[in-house]
Amino acid sequence: MVVRSMVLLKPLRSGVSGFARLWMENGRRRLQLSVRGAVDERVSLYAYRRGEADEKLGDGSGVIEAEGFRAADGLMVVGGGRPLMVGLCGESSESALMEVRSAAETLCRRLAPAAVTAVPKVEEPVIPREVFLPAIDPLPYVSADDNVPEPLLPPPRPSGPPADRLRPLRWPRGFDVLRPYFEKNLPRALFPMPGWRFVPAAQGLWIGMQREDGWVKRVAYACEGRTPPAALGAWRALKGQDGQWYQVLMQETGAG
């Protein structure tokens, strides 16, 4: 009897996605990893086990196969000196996923001296932690408890009067972590969408919101480029008023 399982990998870089199939055959553990979006880039697959050294399972550019390895807590895919994806082989929780992510970052720092230095560094849109964990919480900004996760991007400190002069503007709990971006930055009509305004949050990343009756009714992320951040939700391509293409993800806040 062959028992198969699938590990869905969470991308740490925009445009990269993948998954791994695990199964036992003739008493040996086997794995097949499929990677998409790492164009012309050779990646490496590592097994993560708590309290042990990381084990390299293989290299490749599209599909990596491995066999005869011990059970692992998680999988880490790295390339170009950076973590690309991580996944859990067993326990599924936010803390466990962030633990494997931290291990992948440590692994890349340890491998840095051996990394190829001829590859130019490309600035990628930084994806906030709330969007990074949608499979664990399908509505990452709406939480019934008080332990709302902190965003990956530290909110900017207001240095002047709020850009939004219309008061009051109420933010539903969970979404209020985005408020400082709108208080710090000047809004912009990035798309021909009535009622929406966007502010820059990071290199290549914009955050938008739509207000109604004094409440923030919807929020959105807009990443520059034609390729969506794979496996992170229902992204759609929109052409901005600046002539550039963006990948946009919208969420209802449930306010009002």
Side-chain angles (χ1 to χ4, degrees):
M1 179 178 179
V2 178
V3 179
R4 297 178 182 269
S5 62
M6 181 174 292
V7 177
L8 297 177
L9 300 173
K10 300 301 177 210
L12 304 179
R13 198 180 77 184
S14 177
V16 179
S17 64
F19 61 90
R21 293 188 179 94
L22 295 169
W23 72 95
M24 295 288 292
E25 186 174 322
N26 298 325
R28 292 173 63 84
R29 185 172 283 101
R30 301 192 64 181
L31 175 149
Q32 184 181 68
L33 170 72
S34 297
V35 180
R36 296 180 180 178
V39 181
D40 299 328
E41 185 173 331
R42 191 170 182 83
V43 303
S44 299
L45 172 65
Y46 287 81
Y48 170 75
R49 302 181 183 93
R50 291 185 182 89
E52 298 185 22
D54 305 317
E55 179 187 2
K56 187 175 183 178
L57 301 182
D59 298 288
S61 57
V63 176
I64 299 176
E65 296 184 348
E67 64 175 296
F69 55 92
R70 295 187 296 110
D73 297 309
L75 298 176
M76 304 179 295
V77 180
V78 302
R82 294 178 292 177
L84 301 182
M85 295 181 290
V86 295
L88 298 174
C89 299
E91 176 189 0
S92 179
S93 68
E94 177 180 339
S95 60
L97 188 61
M98 298 306 291
E99 177 184 327
V100 180
R101 177 181 184 177
S102 177
E105 293 171 345
T106 301
L107 172 65
C108 287
R109 287 195 295 269
R110 190 168 67 246
L111 298 176
V116 178
T117 57
V119 179
K121 183 178 179 181
V122 179
E123 291 294 334
E124 297 282 351
V126 179
I127 301 176
R129 179 168 177 257
E130 295 94 329
V131 179
F132 171 70
L133 299 168
I136 295 176
D137 183 358
L139 295 176
Y141 297 103
V142 182
S143 176
D145 57 60
D146 295 327
N147 298 319
V148 179
E150 294 293 330
L152 179 63
L153 300 175
R157 294 180 177 275
S159 60
D164 186 357
R165 299 291 183 175
L166 299 176
R167 295 297 184 190
L169 179 61
R170 291 174 288 181
W171 292 75
R173 187 172 60 179
F175 288 83
D176 53 2
V177 296
L178 303 179
R179 185 202 302 266
Y181 294 103
F182 292 87
E183 294 179 343
K184 171 70 175 181
N185 300 300
L186 293 176
R188 175 179 172 184
L190 196 59
F191 306 100
M193 297 161 48
W196 282 90
R197 61 192 189 90
F198 286 76
V199 294
Q203 179 68 33
L205 176 66
W206 296 72
I207 297 177
M209 69 91 167
Q210 186 183 46
R211 59 183 299 156
E212 183 179 318
D213 298 328
W215 280 97
V216 175
K217 288 287 188 176
R218 298 170 189 85
V219 297
Y221 285 97
C223 291
E224 295 179 2
R226 292 178 176 269
T227 304
L232 291 179
W235 297 82
R236 59 171 176 157
L238 289 178
K239 192 172 185 179
Q241 300 199 110
D242 56 0
Q244 295 191 61
W245 282 95
Y246 296 82
Q247 294 294 326
V248 181
L249 171 67
M250 296 184 181
Q251 290 181 313
E252 299 283 342
T253 66

